[in-house]
Amino acid sequence: MSDLRTIKITVLRYRPEEEDEPTEQTYEVEFRDDWVVLDALNHIKDHIDGTLSFRWSCRMGVCGSCGMMVNGEPKLTCAAMLRDYYPNEVRVEPLVNFPIVRDLVTDMTDFMDKLKAVKPWIIREEEKPVSEGEYLQTPDQLKDYKQFSQCINCMLCYAACPVYGLEHDFVGPAAIALGHRYNLDSRDEGNQQRQHIIASKEGIWECTYVGECSVVCPKHVDPAEAIQQTKVATTTNRLKSLVMPWGNKK
Ligand code: SF4
Ligand code: FES
């Protein structure tokens, strides 16, 4: 007996040179038990309709480029098993809260700008010469930020965030979590340079702690927790700077 089953995949289509509004198109796909939604999209592109556009790269939950709405939920399509949806139809749409470029491809510019703005890299007030060796770190110091360093920039958290959906100026979950990751790093001295973005009115204080960002995050980064920790750290640092205006750089 064949292990192939057939599932209906309805995909949002948008070809800006042909149509003013998105439409939808349904395909019937024979799939094996180990297929994910991304396999179905690749099957459609290779064997049924080569005009379908979508992003992907690694097919193993690492590159973060295959995020789409699957039956209304932000998912990595390379991690969404078709068998979990069968025998029902699967609807695949581009990530919400981002402009559509074409079919399932969204414009990531806003997220990339926000990511850059929080300076997600190690900042030193003064770099020591390479000849003096690495900036050493203990396992406990690594543990402080490791969880927040697992982000793959998939933007699922932005698609899940109702605050970002309403207010696109909000810096948003992943960018704040990554800023926090570097603020927690014992080698970093860039907290002050990130604060005018992270602690601005478009930063942490916009978050109403809905927590959906953490629910959908495929890497368990827990951006909602990062935002809460940043609120506490920012408030503590402000109080410290009032009491001890000469210290408190980190
Ligand atoms: S925090 Fe999680 S959901 Fe958000 S971009 Fe990073 S990996 Fe994706
Ligand atoms: S294809 Fe890379 S995360 Fe899905």
Side-chain angles (χ1 to χ4, degrees):
M1 191 178 127
S2 162
D3 66 347
L4 290 180
R5 290 175 284 176
T6 301
I7 193 165
K8 273 191 185 165
I9 311 274
T10 295
V11 175
L12 184 135
R13 301 299 310 267
Y14 178 54
R15 289 142 295 196
E17 72 283 3
E18 288 174 26
E19 51 207 1
D20 295 333
E21 294 292 327
T23 54
E24 52 184 49
Q25 196 159 352
T26 300
Y27 305 91
E28 298 218 341
V29 175
E30 273 195 331
F31 72 101
R32 288 202 322 255
D33 199 52
D34 59 354
W35 277 27
V36 292
V37 171
L38 180 62
D39 292 326
L41 296 177
N42 274 323
H43 178 83
I44 293 167
K45 185 155 182 93
D46 291 347
H47 301 287
I48 306 175
D49 183 352
T51 68
L52 183 63
S53 298
F54 50 97
R55 281 197 190 103
W56 71 285
S57 181
C58 70
R59 201 196 171 275
M60 54 193 291
V62 173
C63 73
S65 61
C66 71
M68 298 170 213
M69 305 302 290
V70 179
N71 286 6
E73 289 177 25
K75 295 267 185 198
L76 291 183
T77 51
C78 69
M81 303 299 299
L82 282 172
R83 62 172 182 250
D84 292 343
Y85 299 95
Y86 183 82
N88 298 317
E89 179 180 335
V90 177
R91 290 183 64 82
V92 188
E93 296 161 292
L95 283 182
V96 295
N97 297 340
F98 294 97
I100 305 172
V101 175
R102 183 180 191 86
D103 294 340
L104 300 166
V105 178
T106 54
D107 182 349
M108 302 163 61
T109 309
D110 186 54
F111 172 65
M112 297 312 287
D113 288 347
K114 284 169 176 162
L115 195 57
K116 202 166 146 199
V118 301
K119 302 191 177 183
W121 54 81
I122 286 178
I123 298 170
R124 300 285 303 177
E125 282 173 9
E126 210 176 314
E127 289 285 350
K128 67 179 181 182
V130 175
S131 58
E132 286 182 25
E134 309 91 334
Y135 296 103
L136 296 177
Q137 196 163 55
T138 67
D140 276 348
Q141 286 171 327
L142 169 66
K143 214 163 127 197
D144 283 345
Y145 66 83
K146 188 162 181 215
Q147 173 187 359
F148 304 121
S149 72
Q150 303 299 302
C151 178
I152 55 172
N153 301 343
C154 65
M155 305 186 299
L156 300 195
C157 52
Y158 285 74
C161 176
V163 176
Y164 183 68
L166 289 172
E167 182 47 75
H168 272 51
D169 287 341
F170 177 37
V171 177
I176 294 177
L178 279 162
H180 187 53
R181 171 253 177 274
Y182 284 93
N183 285 341
L184 289 176
D185 193 314
S186 58
R187 300 163 298 179
D188 183 82
E189 296 169 340
N191 190 327
Q192 305 277 327
Q193 291 189 41
R194 298 186 188 99
Q195 278 309 83
H196 72 283
I197 300 291
I198 289 179
S200 66
K201 71 177 170 51
E202 291 83 22
I204 46 177
W205 309 113
E206 280 271 15
C207 171
T208 53
Y209 203 34
V210 174
E212 276 303 304
C213 53
S214 294
V215 173
V216 301
C217 177
K219 305 311 267 188
H220 310 292
V221 171
D222 200 352
E225 174 62 18
I227 293 173
Q228 297 318 302
Q229 286 186 14
T230 308
K231 283 180 180 174
V232 172
T234 302
T235 308
T236 309
N237 284 344
R238 274 190 192 155
L239 286 173
K240 275 191 199 163
S241 69
L242 289 175
V243 180
M244 298 185 297
W246 57 86
N248 188 41
K249 282 209 165 161
K250 181 80 179 159

